[in-house]
Amino acid sequence: MASPATIPMTTSQSTAGTGAQSQPPIATPAFRAFLSRFSSSIRQGLSQRRPWYELIDRSAMARPDNLTDAYSRIRKNLSYFKVNYITLLVAVLAFSILSHPLSLLVLLGLLAAWVFLYLFRPSDQPVVIFGRTFTDRETLGALVVLTVFVVFLTSVGSLLISALLVGVAIVCLHGAFRVPEDLFLDDQEPANTGFLSFLGGAASSAAAAAAPAVASRV
């Protein structure tokens, strides 16, 4: 009786089987470090916010005398209410995106593509689409092109820009009408903690967490 046919396992198949047991990107230490540093930076930044009742104090509202007075008020209020204003901008962006579910899905898909296909993808797992293996440079180039297309050539970009303009207009309008004389401006942080200080800290922490994964692909 003839012996049953056997299919030899090649080295590439064995490697693929081993790679299939690797951790998904969201379970890697780099991704957990990214979330930890980002969340801690956000908590630290929000701890610097001013009481909201100071922001909406109607007794401190008055029309500026001229453009110079309005500009001076905006500068002082930006320095004092920087975290509150950033929170307001984020709220306007979130409301605009949530009110357009399709744009929200597109942005989530774009973010997922960066996370799963490049930033936190294990270096031993190449991107394979329709049987074609893409190098890290090809993957990065495709993601950059996709990001430019989504942000600048679709309605998502106009939605984000419109929301930012609305948020900035609200901030400038409040800053111009809020009289800053009752604010303790002498107790401000040093000059290196400007309007976008805690966002910069969050971005720096996120970049530090993602740097090892990105550096391994360069």
Side-chain angles (χ1 to χ4, degrees):
M1 180 180 297
S3 59
T6 59
I7 301 177
M9 178 68 73
T10 63
T11 303
S12 60
Q13 289 173 324
S14 301
T15 305
T18 303
Q21 299 175 358
S22 300
Q23 290 181 323
I26 59 175
T28 58
F31 188 76
R32 290 195 295 267
F34 165 79
L35 290 180
S36 176
R37 293 189 180 188
F38 187 77
S39 60
S40 63
S41 297
I42 294 297
R43 287 195 300 269
Q44 181 181 1
L46 291 177
S47 66
Q48 302 173 11
R49 70 182 183 276
R50 304 299 180 179
W52 288 102
Y53 67 82
E54 293 186 6
L55 191 76
I56 59 177
D57 185 8
R58 295 182 60 182
S59 63
M61 296 293 179
R63 188 174 63 180
D65 297 331
N66 47 52
L67 289 179
T68 303
D69 185 29
Y71 177 72
S72 176
R73 289 184 182 183
I74 291 175
R75 288 192 59 184
K76 293 179 180 179
N77 285 316
L78 283 177
S79 177
Y80 188 81
F81 292 114
K82 56 181 177 292
V83 178
N84 302 75
Y85 284 154
I86 292 173
T87 305
L88 182 61
L89 285 174
V90 173
V92 172
L93 276 173
F95 177 79
S96 300
I97 294 174
L98 291 176
S99 61
H100 295 78
L102 181 59
S103 298
L104 175 62
L105 291 177
V106 172
L107 288 176
L108 289 177
L110 182 62
L111 177 63
W114 275 100
V115 169
F116 289 100
L117 298 181
Y118 190 78
L119 291 178
F120 299 104
R121 174 177 54 84
S123 58
D124 59 344
Q125 294 184 11
V127 177
V128 180
I129 301 177
F130 298 115
R132 186 184 186 282
T133 301
F134 292 84
T135 65
D136 290 331
R137 290 182 179 273
E138 291 174 333
T139 303
L140 178 60
L143 288 173
V144 170
V145 172
L146 179 62
T147 302
V148 171
F149 175 80
V150 168
V151 173
F152 295 102
L153 300 179
T154 67
S155 60
V156 176
S158 60
L159 174 65
L160 294 177
I161 293 175
S162 301
L164 281 175
L165 291 177
V166 171
V168 170
I170 294 174
V171 168
C172 291
L173 187 63
H174 178 274
F177 279 81
R178 175 64 164 85
V179 180
E181 274 71 13
D182 62 327
L183 304 179
F184 297 98
L185 298 176
D186 294 338
D187 296 332
Q188 295 302 297
E189 297 91 349
N192 58 355
T193 58
F195 180 55
L196 298 178
S197 59
F198 94 88
L199 278 188
S204 299
S205 297
V214 176
S216 63
R217 307 182 192 284
V218 178

